[in-house]
């Protein structure tokens, strides 16, 4: 798998996992911060692991989709949010997907790459508009971070926020939705940042374990030293997600 070759692990904060299967007939929108090029592939993998009964969909820049056409086969659909017609097309297509049974839409509403500590990045209005047009459904914040601890490859750490029902907020205007969505996402990011800075894997469940070690030549010498001294060889340098 592509992610395994580039990450030491992909893990989720254990206490944030939610069972939404009891209302699988309702739409699900997962929205996340956007720190990296890897975010779409991470979202696709998380959907497989956490919501396997739901078909994955995610809007992506139309130019990027043209460049990476394989994404279309995974459920990505092209949007152009830089014009009125593009925003209208996004809303129409997203509403159609959300109203279909057994779907999940994954969105990065910051609309650009943003540092995980940049909480001033304004969310684009498309997500709030989408929420005002749906009668009901689940909305789920997701925080993402990519960190280097003790290994050559990074860890992808994730945390889900508290899910909330669109039907419980039907009286909200778009501006109020914008405020609610922003607060929920930023609070989830703050909570994940505190765990990340503690540099402990204990609060996380690994969903994927990737490559170990520092490379063929260096690991070969380490393996030889371990054999000569009678010690067990461990490719990983630390204790995280072993």
């Amino acid at each position: 798998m592509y992610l395994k070759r580039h990450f030491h692990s992909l893990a989720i904060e254990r206490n944030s996992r939610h069972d939404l299967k009891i209302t699988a007939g309702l739409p699900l929108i997962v929205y996340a911060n956007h720190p990296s090029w890897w975010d779409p592939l991470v979202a696709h993998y998380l959907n497989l692991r956490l919501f396997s009964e739901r078909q994955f969909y995610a809007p992506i820049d139309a130019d990027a989709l043209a460049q990476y056409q394989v994404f279309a086969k995974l459920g990505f659909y092209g949007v152009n949010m830089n014009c009125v017609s593009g925003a209208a097309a996004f809303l129409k297509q997203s509403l159609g997907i959300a109203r279909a049974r057994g779907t999940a839409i994954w969105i990065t509403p910051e609309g650009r790459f943003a540092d995980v500590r940049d909480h001033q990045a304004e969310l684009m209005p498309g997500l709030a508009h989408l929420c005002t047009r749906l009668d009901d459904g689940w909305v789920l914040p997701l925080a993402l971070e990519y960190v280097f601890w003790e290994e050559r490859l990074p860890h992808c750490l994730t945390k889900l926020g508290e899910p909330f029902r669109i039907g419980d907020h039907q009286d909200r205007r778009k501006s109020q939705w914008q405020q609610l969505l922003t607060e929920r996402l930023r609070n989830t990011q703050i909570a994940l940042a505190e765990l990340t800075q503690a540099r402990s894997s204990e609060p996380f469940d690994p969903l994927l374990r990737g490559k170990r070690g520092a490379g063929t030549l260096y690991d070969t010498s380490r393996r030889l030293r371990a054999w000569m001294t009678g010690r067990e060889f461990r490719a990983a340098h630390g204790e995280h997600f072993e």
Side-chain angles (χ1 to χ4, degrees):
M1 176 187 285
Y2 195 58
L3 290 174
K4 278 191 173 184
R5 297 202 303 270
H6 292 86
F7 288 92
H8 187 80
S9 68
L10 190 160
I12 186 169
E13 195 273 321
R14 183 176 304 112
N15 294 328
S16 72
R17 300 180 72 165
H18 305 289
D19 184 3
L20 300 181
K21 293 181 180 180
I22 56 173
T23 52
L26 292 177
L28 171 63
I29 300 171
V30 184
Y31 72 107
N33 60 310
H34 194 15
S36 167
W37 178 91
W38 289 101
D39 300 343
L41 293 179
V42 168
H44 186 267
Y45 183 77
L46 288 175
N47 191 83
L48 287 174
R49 292 299 307 271
L50 304 178
F51 307 108
S52 59
E53 75 282 2
R54 291 181 179 267
Q55 174 63 47
F56 172 89
Y57 291 97
I60 190 172
D61 180 77
D63 292 337
L65 186 62
Q67 184 176 359
Y68 302 101
Q69 295 184 14
V70 67
F71 280 9
K73 299 178 181 179
L74 300 178
F76 293 88
Y77 55 101
V79 298
N80 183 355
M81 299 301 291
N82 296 321
C83 61
V84 174
S85 61
F90 158 78
L91 183 60
K92 180 179 179 180
Q93 191 166 1
S94 298
L95 281 171
I97 292 170
R99 288 167 176 163
R101 185 175 179 85
T103 62
I105 299 179
W106 294 66
I107 299 178
T108 50
E110 286 174 325
R112 61 174 177 84
F113 295 130
D115 189 272
V116 294
R117 306 292 181 259
D118 180 8
H119 294 175
Q120 302 306 312
E122 186 175 354
L123 304 189
M124 296 182 71
L127 175 58
H129 200 175
L130 179 60
C131 290
T132 64
R133 295 288 298 276
L134 288 170
D135 295 328
D136 205 356
W138 288 103
V139 183
L140 183 60
L142 167 69
L144 300 171
E145 290 210 22
Y146 302 89
V147 300
F148 287 90
W149 283 346
E150 299 171 346
E151 305 296 337
R152 176 175 64 94
L153 296 176
H155 303 279
C156 174
L157 303 180
T158 68
K159 177 178 172 58
L160 295 172
E162 190 67 27
F164 53 102
R165 289 278 294 271
I166 292 174
D168 295 334
H169 302 274
Q170 287 186 325
D171 58 339
R172 288 183 180 269
R173 298 187 299 274
K174 188 169 72 172
S175 60
Q176 294 172 315
W177 265 109
Q178 188 80 347
Q179 181 179 359
L180 175 64
L181 292 164
T182 301
E183 289 177 354
R184 294 294 184 98
L185 178 60
R186 300 313 183 200
N187 288 341
T188 307
Q189 287 182 255
I190 291 170
L192 178 59
E194 292 174 353
L195 295 173
T196 301
Q197 291 165 13
R199 297 178 68 89
S200 172
S201 60
E202 192 282 327
F204 296 90
D205 287 333
L207 300 179
L208 175 147
R209 288 181 170 89
K211 294 184 67 174
R212 300 291 189 266
T216 303
L217 182 60
Y218 181 54
D219 284 343
T220 298
S221 65
R222 292 174 61 218
R223 192 184 302 274
L224 180 60
R225 287 198 302 271
W227 175 77
M228 293 176 65
T229 57
R231 298 195 306 268
E232 179 184 1
F233 172 72
R234 294 179 64 256
H237 286 76
E239 303 295 330
H240 299 302
F241 307 114
E242 299 306 320

